[in-house]
Amino acid sequence: MIKKSLTESDSHYDHLEKMTVSELLTNINKEDLTVPVAVGKCIPQIERLVDQIVLRMKDGGRLFYIGAGTSGRLGIVDASECPPTFGVPHGLVVGIISGGDGAIRKAVEFAEDDREQGWLDLKAYDVSEKDTVIGIAASGRTPYVIGAIEKSRKAGLLTGCITCNEQSELSEVSEYPIEVLVGPEFVTGSTRMKAGTAQKLVLNMISTAVMIQLGHVSGNKMVDMQLSNDKLVKRGVEMIMEKLGIAESEAAELLQKHGSVRAALDSM
């Protein structure tokens, strides 16, 4: 049984246009403070999914996020941060949005209503049973995402979802649903607010936990990070100095010679 949408329930607040800026900001913040609590209640659901993702990625699988609108953009943000943060190749974690890459900046009308296109977009990556697909949709009712997850599961891929409603159609077709019940938005139905924040927090947890389990962090350091700017090179030098107890000049020389923090540390 599919329950009434919590994400479209009426806001706890009214007459927003009559509030002062201070009142608006204070009340938005009050609502935001409830989000980490809602996410915390989902840790068992998140853990079950992460455990399964790790098993498949250790066997050569990839991780895909698929969504529409804000949900799709959040998946792309998380996927795009994995190579620089953890040194993994582009294509290991992939974000897909309805309407294609152009929809990252500008909404594509009705793209999310196509129940068949999500699976077609995934098939362009030659997905296999080793891969995982996580559908992201605040309402849990987006046809593009539901169709993608439904067909992915039938094809033997691991499937999960992140939604902010109970017993949605998306949860019903997903093997490992994550339901973060943040309740009504400050502006009724504006799921880029609490729901979007919740989705971002869960995505952070999933990708970070997976990458740590795959060995891309040592201690608490990003030893596999890509040295793509001066700030990160400096951070890499500092990691080596701290770990090996050597001078900055020696650490910089090691990093330049070996090309990564991990390789520099392993050389000693």
Side-chain angles (χ1 to χ4, degrees):
M1 176 180 161
I2 297 173
K3 292 193 173 184
K4 180 182 175 182
S5 173
L6 294 176
T7 56
E8 295 175 12
S9 299
D10 204 40
S11 173
H12 296 309
Y13 305 83
D14 203 353
H15 307 298
L16 306 186
E17 71 280 7
K18 296 180 181 178
M19 291 183 184
T20 65
V21 171
S22 178
E23 289 170 335
L24 288 168
L25 299 178
T26 298
N27 289 326
I28 291 170
N29 182 244
K30 280 182 184 177
E31 290 298 306
D32 287 345
L33 290 172
T34 68
V35 175
V37 176
V39 171
K41 293 177 181 178
C42 296
I43 287 175
Q45 297 174 11
I46 300 168
E47 180 184 4
R48 285 192 289 271
L49 177 55
V50 166
D51 284 342
Q52 294 301 315
I53 294 170
V54 170
L55 287 174
R56 282 160 179 77
M57 294 190 82
K58 283 182 175 179
D59 194 33
R62 296 165 293 171
L63 173 60
F64 291 86
Y65 301 131
I66 190 162
T70 298
S71 298
R73 294 181 190 103
L74 289 169
I76 289 168
V77 167
D78 194 75
S80 67
E81 291 291 343
C82 287
T85 305
F86 301 109
V88 297
H90 291 279
L92 186 67
V93 183
V94 179
I96 299 173
I97 186 170
S98 65
D101 284 354
I104 297 170
R105 291 183 177 273
K106 185 177 179 181
V108 177
E109 298 294 332
F110 303 108
E112 70 174 52
D113 297 327
D114 190 335
R115 196 172 177 120
E116 304 302 319
Q117 189 60 47
W119 175 239
L120 294 176
D121 290 346
L122 282 165
K123 287 208 301 182
Y125 289 88
D126 294 323
V127 291
S128 75
E129 293 180 2
K130 293 181 180 181
D131 297 325
T132 300
V133 184
I134 299 177
I136 313 169
S139 67
R141 300 187 312 200
T142 308
Y144 174 85
V145 181
I146 294 168
I149 295 300
E150 189 173 41
K151 291 192 174 180
S152 293
R153 188 171 180 181
K154 286 180 180 176
L157 283 73
L158 176 69
T159 59
C161 72
I162 306 169
T163 182
C164 297
N165 276 324
E166 285 185 291
Q167 299 176 8
S168 67
E169 187 176 358
L170 180 57
S171 287
E172 290 188 347
V173 300
S174 299
E175 191 175 0
Y176 291 91
I178 298 167
E179 298 175 331
V180 191
L181 306 181
V182 296
E185 298 288 359
F186 180 72
V187 176
T188 299
S190 182
T191 52
R192 69 185 183 85
M193 301 185 78
K194 290 194 299 182
T197 301
Q199 290 170 333
K200 182 65 172 76
L201 291 175
V202 174
L203 288 166
N204 286 347
M205 294 167 79
I206 290 171
S207 58
T208 304
V210 166
M211 291 299 156
I212 292 171
Q213 289 290 299
L214 293 176
H216 293 293
V217 171
S218 178
N220 57 16
K221 300 296 194 297
M222 301 182 293
V223 292
D224 289 336
M225 68 179 180
Q226 294 178 353
L227 304 173
S228 55
N229 57 52
D230 289 342
K231 177 189 72 176
L232 295 179
V233 171
K234 183 174 184 296
R235 185 182 298 170
V237 169
E238 290 170 350
M239 286 185 198
I240 296 167
M241 290 168 61
E242 179 184 333
K243 186 72 173 178
L244 300 180
I246 59 178
E248 181 177 357
S249 58
E250 188 178 353
E253 185 179 337
L254 275 174
L255 186 59
Q256 185 174 17
K257 178 180 178 181
H258 296 284
S260 76
V261 175
R262 182 184 294 276
L265 293 177
D266 288 347
S267 72
M268 300 298 287

